[in-house]
Amino acid sequence: MTNIIIAIDGYSSTGKGTFAMEIARRLGILYLDSGALYRTVTLYALQNGEIEWNGAILDRRLQEDIILGKIDISVMSKADGTMRVFLGDEDVSGRIRELEVARNVSAIATLPFVRNFVDEQLHRLGSKGCVMDGRDIGTAVFPNADLKIFMTADAEIRAQRRVLQMEQAGQHPSFEEVLKNVQERDYIDSHRAMNPLRKADDAIVLDNSHMTVEEQMVWLDGILRERFNIGIL
Ligand code: CDP
């Protein structure tokens, strides 16, 4: 079953990307990170002066650029499960992880014309089968996905994981600041008008507060065997 679509949604820093990439690698299917596309639109808006110093978005200009086809996003998915994202010719996979992008992305992702633009790209890229992670994949992007997983974990544990990740990248964030950012983004994502973050009725909840990635794979292996007769261990 190579054209299977697996939708993984959930809160910030629950490890959706790590989990989704590992599933894609083991099943030999495409991994698509929908958040990376929202981050790339945000980077474009920052580079083109469409986000002001106080966070205000010049949404008419951004919308015009989208209509005129000026935002040229492409992705490259690799066999090891990772994904690179390009803005024009430039590989922006690293730059979209910077703090300035993280600070503005949730506001950009509330704009309906941005969501429609990203959704079109996601459909074009993923319709033939993929593991896709985000906030609204099982509810809005692929409501008929073959399998939907909703990930959650205690906020303190998620913030701790993000701190570790940032420390490994040479940064020294304070735990309180990271926890605040995680909670703020969850709030914006869950309360926006268009396609807010919520569990699809038919999604299976995975609380990984006290689970390793390998334990998650064992959990998923049971589900895949039962539903599709395929194993991943
Ligand atoms: O940092 P983290 O991995 O938790 O987030 P991400 O997956 O990179 O997504 C960045 C932001 O994009 C989220 O905080 C959401 O505001 C937005 N997003 C969304 O609205 N819908 C999606 N399907 C994916 C991301």
Side-chain angles (χ1 to χ4, degrees):
M1 199 173 172
T2 50
N3 58 354
I4 188 172
I5 294 182
I6 301 179
I8 301 184
D9 291 304
Y11 295 101
S12 306
S13 309
T14 42
K16 300 182 295 293
T18 307
F19 188 38
M21 264 187 263
E22 188 55 21
I23 299 167
R25 194 181 67 77
R26 294 195 192 194
L27 285 176
I29 60 177
L30 209 63
Y31 165 57
L32 292 167
D33 169 5
S34 66
L37 270 62
Y38 287 102
R39 286 172 180 268
T40 305
V41 173
T42 307
L43 179 66
Y44 175 92
L46 284 167
Q47 284 178 340
N48 288 275
E50 291 168 353
I51 301 177
E52 294 184 325
W53 62 270
N54 59 0
I57 301 164
L58 306 182
D59 52 343
R60 299 260 288 273
R61 265 179 52 192
L62 180 60
Q63 185 167 21
E64 202 174 277
D65 286 355
I66 288 177
I67 291 168
L68 294 175
K70 285 192 183 169
I71 311 186
D72 172 22
I73 299 177
S74 53
V75 306
M76 211 174 82
S77 291
K78 298 190 183 171
D80 64 1
T82 58
M83 179 186 119
R84 313 279 323 163
V85 54
F86 296 81
L87 184 56
D89 293 336
E90 191 192 348
D91 183 343
V92 293
S93 314
R95 294 190 65 188
I96 59 169
R97 304 285 153 204
E98 286 173 9
L99 204 62
E100 208 187 359
V101 173
R103 277 203 201 102
N104 293 288
V105 62
S106 287
I108 288 281
T110 63
L111 301 170
F113 64 85
V114 171
R115 301 205 72 80
N116 288 330
F117 171 67
V118 170
D119 285 358
E120 269 169 37
Q121 318 266 329
L122 296 174
H123 276 133
R124 185 172 52 78
L125 295 165
S127 297
K128 294 206 177 94
C130 65
V131 183
M132 188 179 289
D133 77 320
R135 304 292 192 282
D136 62 343
I137 310 308
T139 53
V141 181
F142 288 119
N144 298 320
D146 300 286
L147 178 64
K148 299 179 189 177
I149 297 166
F150 188 84
M151 289 178 70
T152 181
D154 300 342
E156 282 76 11
I157 290 176
R158 292 189 278 129
Q160 195 54 53
R161 287 178 185 158
R162 183 63 34 125
V163 167
L164 270 176
Q165 228 176 29
M166 293 171 88
E167 281 175 353
Q168 277 159 7
Q171 301 167 34
H172 305 284
S174 86
F175 172 79
E176 282 71 27
E177 240 176 79
V178 172
L179 178 62
K180 193 166 157 256
N181 176 267
V182 160
Q183 289 170 328
E184 271 171 9
R185 267 198 304 144
D186 285 347
Y187 185 86
I188 300 175
D189 292 347
S190 310
H191 290 83
R192 67 171 170 242
M194 185 175 173
N195 302 341
L197 167 66
R198 67 171 182 84
K199 185 185 105 48
D201 293 338
D202 52 350
I204 309 170
V205 175
L206 171 61
D207 182 334
N208 69 359
S209 300
H210 304 288
M211 279 171 101
T212 63
V213 175
E214 197 48 40
E215 284 167 346
Q216 294 177 187
M217 301 317 289
V218 173
W219 173 86
L220 182 67
D221 182 71
I223 292 167
L224 290 175
R225 278 179 197 281
E226 195 185 299
R227 289 217 190 167
F228 310 108
N229 206 20
I230 44 178
I232 47 163
L233 293 181

